[in-house]
């Protein structure tokens, strides 16, 4: 299925000129003050009820970093709902899983269902999918209400072997995609342990783009402005992400 960011197109060109960090898909808004934050983790809310939400950010979480669309969508979606939510830099999966398990134990002690929602963009989307895989394997009583991925990518073989960033190699070897490759190995939903996987991707960026994933509800993002790319795919999908997250939160509370 193809989705076009219709609600963003009117303001796309103006937003691109007004602020680089805004992408071209949404109005820029300040983040609410978190309960605790650092460059690797930001605890948005921690209550011993409701689902546990983890968003993997594409950038370090220090102030002044470009806003992350998935992370901002979580802020918008949770409203005043009592739950636990946190954002982690994509390289901090082990820390994120430890926090998730701590929050789930609080729910088990109160005889509440241990349910989680995972989301991410780019390398963060890949980490969200791999977190789902680990939780499904090791934590057999946990239900993943939603896995939400945006333009999931993984480090290419040459970049990984050389131990350098993808854009360095792509600049040194023009036209050859040795930087990042699309990630397509997310665990498929089974309606029981993993309720749903919604996957957004774009193919405008030659060296940085996701792809459709088996078993997922796949949506290819398109636009007519030529501005859509890997970096702002989460901005283009922003209204969809908020709606998906709100629906998953409501489902998890039933």
């Amino acid at each position: 299925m193809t989705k076009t960011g219709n609600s963003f197109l009117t303001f796309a060109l103006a937003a691109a000129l007004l602020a680089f960090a805004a992408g071209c898909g949404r109005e820029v808004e300040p983040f609410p003050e978190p309960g605790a934050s650092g460059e690797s983790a930001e605890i948005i809310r921690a209550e011993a009820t409701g689902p546990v939400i983890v968003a993997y950010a594409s950038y370090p979480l220090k102030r002044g970093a470009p806003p992350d669309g998935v992370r901002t969508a979580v802020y918008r979606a949770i409203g005043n709902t009592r739950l636990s939510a946190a954002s982690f830099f994509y390289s901090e999966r082990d820390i994120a899983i430890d926090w998730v398990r701590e929050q789930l134990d609080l729910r088990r002690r109160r005889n509440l269902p241990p349910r989680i929602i995972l989301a991410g963009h780019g390398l963060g989307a890949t980490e969200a999918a791999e977190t789902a895989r680990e939780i499904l394997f090791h934590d057999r009583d946990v239900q993943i209400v939603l896995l939400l991925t945006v333009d999931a990518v993984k480090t290419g073989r040459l970049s990984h072997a050389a131990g350098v960033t993808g854009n360095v190699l792509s600049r040194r070897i023009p036209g050859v995609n040795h930087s990042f490759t699309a990630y397509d190995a997310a665990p498929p939903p089974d309606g029981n342990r993993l309720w749903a996987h919604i996957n957004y991707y774009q193919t405008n960026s030659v060296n940085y783009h996701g792809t459709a994933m088996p078993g997922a509800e796949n949506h290819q993002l398109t636009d007519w402005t030529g501005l859509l790319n890997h970096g702002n795919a989460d901005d283009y999908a922003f209204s969809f992400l908020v709606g998906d997250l709100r629906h998953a939160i409501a489902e998890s509370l039933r």
Side-chain angles (χ1 to χ4, degrees), residues 11-29 65-67 227 231-232 235:
F11 303 99
L13 293 175
L17 293 173
L18 287 173
F20 170 78
C24 54
R26 67 166 190 273
E27 178 184 355
V28 179
E29 58 182 331
L227 296 174
N232 63 25
D235 296 311

Side-chain angles (χ1 to χ4, degrees), residues 39-43 54 56 86-102 131 134:
E39 290 196 15
S40 298
E42 178 181 36
I43 309 304
V54 167
Y56 282 100
S87 182
F88 296 86
F89 188 41
Y90 69 80
S91 63
E92 303 295 346
R93 184 180 1 138
D94 290 344
I95 296 173
I97 291 176
D98 286 345
W99 182 80
V100 166
R101 287 177 172 147
E102 176 185 288
T131 297
E134 182 165 341

Side-chain angles (χ1 to χ4, degrees), residues 214-229:
E217 178 185 317
N218 292 293
H219 300 285
Q220 182 175 355
L221 298 167
T222 62
D223 80 323
W224 54 265
T225 66
L227 296 174
L228 171 63
N229 56 57

Side-chain angles (χ1 to χ4, degrees), residues 122 150-154 177 179-183 200-212 229-231 233:
V150 182
D151 226 28
V153 295
K154 60 184 178 180
N177 182 9
S179 50
F180 295 102
T181 57
Y183 172 88
Y200 296 94
Y201 68 98
Q202 58 79 40
T203 57
N204 286 25
S205 299
V206 176
N207 286 346
Y208 304 86
H209 65 79
T211 188
N229 56 57
H230 175 75

Side-chain angles (χ1 to χ4, degrees), residues 155-166 169 178-179:
T155 306
R157 292 179 181 176
L158 279 183
S159 298
H160 183 75
V164 297
T165 61
L169 276 176
H178 294 310
S179 50

Side-chain angles (χ1 to χ4, degrees), residues 20-126:
F20 170 78
C24 54
R26 67 166 190 273
E27 178 184 355
V28 179
E29 58 182 331
F31 293 135
E33 288 295 324
S37 63
E39 290 196 15
S40 298
E42 178 181 36
I43 309 304
I44 300 168
R45 187 173 301 164
E47 300 197 34
T49 188
V52 179
I53 303 175
V54 167
Y56 282 100
S58 303
Y59 301 97
L61 302 176
K62 59 186 177 183
R63 290 190 179 278
D68 182 271
V70 173
R71 174 173 170 247
T72 310
V74 169
Y75 272 114
R76 180 72 63 85
I78 63 178
N80 295 321
T81 307
R82 295 189 62 195
L83 46 69
S84 295
S87 182
F88 296 86
F89 188 41
Y90 69 80
S91 63
E92 303 295 346
R93 184 180 1 138
D94 290 344
I95 296 173
I97 291 176
D98 286 345
W99 182 80
V100 166
R101 287 177 172 147
E102 176 185 288
Q103 295 300 309
L104 292 175
D105 281 342
L106 296 176
R107 284 147 178 80
R108 292 186 183 101
R109 292 171 196 161
R110 301 181 64 187
N111 293 318
L112 297 174
R115 293 173 176 170
I116 65 175
I117 296 168
L118 300 167
H121 168 222
L123 290 168
T126 300

